[in-house]
Amino acid sequence: MRLKTLQISAGLGAAIAFILAFMAAGAMIASFAFAVVGAGLLAWVVYGIAHQALAHRRYPAVRGPSA
């Protein structure tokens, strides 16, 4: 059975579509991973600042005698 030109073109088009779909899925997963890492780092910075601010409010700095 000989394949027609249209069948060959459709097969090549399907192969290209699958390759592009897998590339897009990989880019989405990588983008999601970087977003999660970025959000985690931002949460860590905010936690550190809040912890420092609350500790400063709880234990004010000792000041010398004001004359």
Side-chain angles (χ1 to χ4, degrees), residues 1 7-8 11-13 16-17 19 21 25 33 38-39 47 55 57-58 63:
M1 177 177 125
Q7 291 169 327
I8 293 172
L12 287 175
I16 291 172
I19 289 170
Y47 172 78
R57 199 174 76 190
R58 203 176 313 146
R63 294 193 176 128

Side-chain angles (χ1 to χ4, degrees), residues 5-42:
T5 305
L6 183 61
Q7 291 169 327
I8 293 172
S9 299
L12 287 175
I16 291 172
F18 274 113
I19 289 170
L20 290 175
F22 281 116
M23 287 172 55
M28 183 190 70
I29 291 170
S31 177
F32 180 73
F34 281 115
V36 167
V37 169
L41 289 174
L42 184 62

